[in-house]
Amino acid sequence: MKPLLCSATLGFVLLLGLPGCSSQPQVEAQGRPETGQRLAAFFEEVFQAELDRDPDRAARLGFERPNDRWTDLSDDALRREHEIHQQNLRRLRTEFPFAELDEASQLSYQLFEYRTEQALGDFPWRFHSYPVHQMRGVHTTVATFLMDIHRVENVEDARDYISRIRGVRDVMSQTVANLVAREERGILPPRFVFPMVLTDCRNLIAGRPFEESDRESPILADITAKLEALELGDEQRRELLDEASRALVEAWEPAYRELIEALERQAQLATDEDGAWKFPNGAEFYDHALRRMTTTRLDAEAVHKLGLAEVARIHGAMEEIRDQVGFEGSLQEFFLHLRT
C-alpha cells in the first residue's frame, strides 16, 4: 500500500492543505531512501493492524479478513485503541527523523501525525455522541452491513453471515452499555428521536421467522436471496436457511428486544432539548468540534456570524436573479415557484 493511502481522511486533508497543521517544522527534505522505506513499512503495519481490529471497516474496504465477527464497540476497545494511537505517535516521532525523509514521505508523515492527533483529541469526548439516532446508528447499520456488504459467494460465507447474526447479541449489549454510559453523564438524545428509532428496531424483528406472517423479515429475505443465488442442493440450502432462522430467533430478536427496552426507558427520561450546549462541558465540546470539522480557530460566535453573512449574501444573489427574470413576489414565493 502507498503510504499516503493509510489515512481515511486523506482526500479531505489534502483538499484543505492541512499538512501545515503538523507539529513538525517545514524543513528541506534530505531524502534518505532507507528512512522513507521504513516509514512506508510502518504505515502498512499500522494500517493492517487497524483492519485486524476493525473487521467491519475491513469488509467495507474489500479486504480479506475473518468475516464472521463484528467490530468491538465497547469502551474497553476504545481505550485500547487510544493507547495504540499514543504508541504509534511515539514511534513515528522517535523512529523516523523528519529531516531524513523526501518531500512525499514528509507529507505522509504529517498526514499520519495529523490523523493520530485528531483521534487522541477526540478520545476525551467519546461519550459526546449518540450511538443510536434517527439518521443512522448501530440499530440499522448492522442490518445494512449484512445486506449490502456481506457477500455470500459460497457456503463458508453463508455460515459467516449466520455467525454475524448470532454476534449481534454482543453488538447490541455493547450498544446498550454505551447508551447507559452516556445517560450516566447526562447525555441523552432529544425526545423526538426515540419514536423513529424504535420504529426502525421493531421493523427489523417483524415478519418471519419472528412471527406468523406472509412476509419475511428483512434479514431472512436477504439471506434467502443470497442462498438462492448459490449452486446448492435443496437440502443444504434448507439446512442453512433453518440455521439462519434459528439464529434470528435465538440471538437477533433478543438483541433487539434488549435495545428496545433500553430505548423505551430512556425515552421516558428524554427532554425536548437538543444541541451540544445541553451536554456536560457542552461549550468546550462544541469548540473542539469546530476545530475538528472546520480546521480553524474560529469560535462559535464567529462561525455563526459567518454563516449568517453567507446566507445573506446568497439570498442577495437569489433576489437579483428573481428580479432579472421578472418574478413578482417574495423570495420564498420564488423558491416555491421554482420547486413546483
Side-chain angles (χ1 to χ4, degrees), residues 70 138-144 146-147 161 164-169 172 201 203-206 210 217-220 244-258:
W70 298 97
V138 180
H139 65 302
T140 55
T141 54
V142 293
T144 56
L146 286 173
M147 292 188 285
Y161 189 114
R164 276 195 163 128
I165 291 176
R166 291 196 174 277
V168 165
R169 193 78 186 262
M172 293 307 173
C201 291
N203 286 341
L204 286 167
I205 52 173
F210 309 113
S217 64
I219 299 302
L220 182 59
S245 295
R246 285 194 301 273
L248 286 167
V249 171
E250 295 170 0
W252 182 277
E253 183 177 17
Y256 272 87
R257 296 290 181 195
E258 180 186 5

Side-chain angles (χ1 to χ4, degrees), residues 280-335:
N281 305 115
E284 187 181 353
F285 164 68
Y286 195 79
D287 286 341
H288 167 78
L290 282 179
R291 291 192 300 272
R292 183 72 158 81
M293 300 306 294
T294 69
T295 70
T296 73
R297 294 296 172 180
L298 297 176
D299 61 23
E301 184 64 24
V303 171
H304 182 62
K305 288 181 178 178
L306 178 62
L308 292 177
E310 282 299 289
V311 170
R313 181 185 65 80
I314 293 169
H315 276 189
M318 292 175 172
E319 287 171 347
E320 290 181 8
I321 295 172
R322 177 199 60 188
D323 295 341
Q324 288 173 8
V325 299
F327 181 84
E328 296 182 0
S330 68
L331 191 59
Q332 292 302 320
E333 290 171 337
F334 185 46
F335 293 159

